[in-house]
Amino acid sequence: MKPLGRNSLRPLPKSFFCHPTLWIARNLLGKGILRIVGEDKILVRIIETEAYLSKNDPASHSFRGPNGRNRSMFGPAGTCYVYLSYGMHYCMNVVTGAKGVGEAVLLRAALPVFGERAIVRNRPGVRTKDWMSGPGKLTKALEVDRRFDGLFFGDHGLFLVDLGRPCGRVAATPRIGISKATNLPYRFVTEVRT
DNA sequence: TGCCTGATTGCCT
DNA sequence: GGCAATCAGGCAA
């Protein structure tokens, strides 16, 4: 894998996405999202994810099979699945599992590593701790919207990268904001600090 | 065809 | 802590 830029950031290898979805959700904690917009580079560290499976997971968009909105969730592992939530917020997922399966990991929250100037531009007047403390806030800070739906991470200025540092302790809890399958501990958080 | 709900956020009190 | 904003699917009729 070719390093990305001056910080020797390496994109996550394809083999990373060959693991089970729950493994990927847990192991994305501490990894980086690199966003390149023109001259600006934004790097953030993932601190919260949620896994959405296909079978036996009624909370997952893919539970009822493919439709217009969730089509890219059934793409090959490493596909970016972006959907509109509550009619106004975008949420970004990494598709996992084989093509046609319909599993993904929702990227819920992150902390800044560098590129604060661009983040401030995207999140004017917002306190630092609230920059990316939710899925809709994260996409806003990184300038990610429906244009990325169905594209691959690694294309079009959006990368998942290894920061070469392990994350801290990981906690698994039920997922947020859902009404179905609320007992499943598919949300993963870490107390990592940059 | 039309109503209801939701993987949310941010403003207002 | 309450609640409005806003829209795409699901589902009932």
Side-chain angles (χ1 to χ4, degrees), chain A residues 27-178:
Chain A
N27 284 275
L28 274 175
L29 297 176
K31 298 293 189 295
I33 308 171
L34 177 66
R35 176 81 171 98
I36 300 175
V37 193
E39 296 295 302
D40 291 312
K41 290 189 177 68
I42 306 172
L43 179 65
V44 304
R45 194 161 156 83
I46 300 166
I47 57 166
E48 186 178 337
T49 63
E50 281 180 3
Y52 286 88
L53 307 187
S54 181
K55 295 184 173 62
N56 305 318
D57 187 1
S60 174
H61 285 177
S62 62
F63 186 66
R64 295 173 204 283
N67 59 43
R69 174 167 72 153
N70 68 15
R71 184 187 312 279
S72 53
M73 195 171 170
F74 291 84
T79 300
C80 184
Y81 168 44
V82 180
Y83 67 90
L84 188 63
S85 176
Y86 291 90
M88 64 196 81
H89 306 294
Y90 292 107
C91 295
M92 171 170 48
N93 299 249
V94 187
V95 176
T96 57
K99 189 176 177 185
V101 171
E103 301 198 346
V105 174
L106 171 67
L107 304 177
R108 285 190 61 91
L111 295 173
V113 177
F114 63 69
E116 285 87 347
R117 200 177 52 130
I119 298 176
V120 169
R121 192 184 60 219
N122 296 330
R123 308 279 290 136
V126 178
R127 285 171 302 186
T128 307
K129 74 178 188 62
D130 292 325
W131 276 353
M132 299 171 284
S133 58
K137 303 175 192 180
L138 178 64
T139 55
K140 200 172 282 183
L142 296 179
E143 295 183 49
V144 169
D145 56 30
R146 278 286 277 182
R147 288 173 302 161
F148 287 87
D149 184 51
L151 302 181
F152 273 97
F153 281 94
D155 296 343
H156 304 85
L158 184 62
F159 303 84
L160 288 170
V161 297
D162 195 338
L163 299 180
R165 281 177 293 164
C167 63
R169 203 154 50 91
V170 173
T173 77
R175 291 168 292 186
I176 303 287
I178 55 170

